[in-house]
């Protein structure tokens, strides 16, 4: 009889453990579902933010392109030099738009390209003689020499014939 009671108490203990484990498993499943739901919501929010950022970037890029198209056009020429890198085309970027200017050829570009070329400066060493000694000083010089050949006036509807 004592043995029967021990078996029953052991069986009861196992049932309690099983019930506790079942409750723990149910709690963990609920937590998992809540976490999955929160992850889906976070992904949806991130996707919405990403779409808004993409739309804003596209709008900004369109505005920059419109601004470039609206600028006065400049006819310019970039001469070649002696070195191979001075004979290569010149890349100029303005507001995310890149222009590849071929040397020794007249090109028409927005005025913003001219402004970038004007701002492209570098320090060059200049050697002079003072009191019989060579003195080196640094002066600013145009990084890429260019010539402005003129401006292209926009054609309006009244001028067309």
């Amino acid at each position: 009889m004592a043995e029967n009671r021990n078996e029953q108490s052991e069986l009861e203990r196992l049932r309690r453990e099983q019930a506790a484990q079942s409750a723990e498993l149910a709690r963990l499943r609920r937590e998992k579902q809540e976490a999955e739901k929160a992850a889906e919501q976070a992904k949806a929010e991130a996707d919405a933010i990403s779409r808004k950022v993409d739309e804003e970037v596209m709008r900004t890029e369109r505005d920059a392109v419109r601004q470039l198209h609206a600028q006065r056009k400049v006819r310019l020429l970039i001469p070649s030099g002696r070195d191979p890198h001075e004979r290569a085309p010149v890349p100029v970027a303005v507001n995310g738009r890149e222009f590849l200017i071929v040397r020794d050829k007249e090109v028409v570009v927005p005025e913003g390209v001219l402004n970038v070329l004007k701002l492209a400066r570098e320090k060059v060493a200049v050697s002079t003689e003072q009191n019989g000694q060579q003195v080196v000083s640094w002066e600013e010089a145009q990084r890429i020499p260019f010539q402005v050949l003129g401006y292209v006036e926009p054609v309006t509807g009244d001028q067309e014939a």
Side-chain angles (χ1 to χ4, degrees):
M1 188 151 172
E3 197 175 294
N4 197 10
R5 268 193 214 148
N6 284 341
E7 286 178 5
Q8 285 181 348
S9 65
E10 181 65 20
L11 185 60
E12 192 59 36
R13 185 187 64 78
L14 289 173
R15 285 183 183 150
R16 281 193 306 270
E17 282 182 17
Q18 183 185 15
Q21 288 175 349
S22 294
E24 179 68 12
L25 181 61
R27 185 187 64 78
L28 291 173
R29 285 183 178 153
R30 279 192 309 275
E31 283 182 15
K32 179 185 172 197
Q33 288 174 345
E34 290 170 2
E36 287 173 346
K37 187 176 180 180
E40 287 176 17
Q41 287 176 340
K43 184 180 182 325
E45 289 173 9
D47 289 345
I49 290 170
S50 179
R51 278 191 302 277
K52 285 181 182 178
V53 168
D54 288 346
E55 290 169 4
E56 182 66 21
V57 167
M58 287 178 12
R59 187 187 62 75
T60 303
E61 287 175 352
R62 276 193 314 268
D63 291 347
V65 168
R66 277 191 210 121
Q67 182 184 17
L68 277 175
H69 286 300
Q71 288 180 0
R72 181 167 66 160
K73 304 298 184 252
V74 180
R75 290 181 19 246
L76 61 87
L77 176 79
I78 299 177
S80 290
R82 291 184 219 145
D83 296 332
H85 76 277
E86 291 177 339
R87 290 190 294 269
V90 178
V92 179
V94 180
N95 291 337
R97 177 115 190 261
E98 193 167 326
F99 298 85
L100 190 60
I101 302 173
V102 177
R103 292 179 187 259
D104 298 322
K105 182 179 177 186
E106 181 181 321
V107 294
V108 176
V109 294
E111 196 167 25
V113 173
L114 175 63
N115 295 336
V116 170
L117 289 172
K118 285 179 181 177
L119 292 172
R121 314 277 297 165
E122 66 182 346
K123 297 276 186 176
V124 293
V126 177
S127 179
T128 56
E129 190 172 319
Q130 291 180 354
N131 300 329
Q133 290 185 336
Q134 289 292 99
V135 176
V136 176
S137 61
W138 295 92
E139 294 180 2
E140 252 194 26
Q142 194 69 44
R143 169 73 181 93
I144 301 166
F146 62 90
Q147 294 175 309
V148 175
L149 304 174
Y151 292 89
V152 177
E153 297 303 323
V155 178
T156 62
D158 296 342
Q159 295 175 343
E160 292 180 26

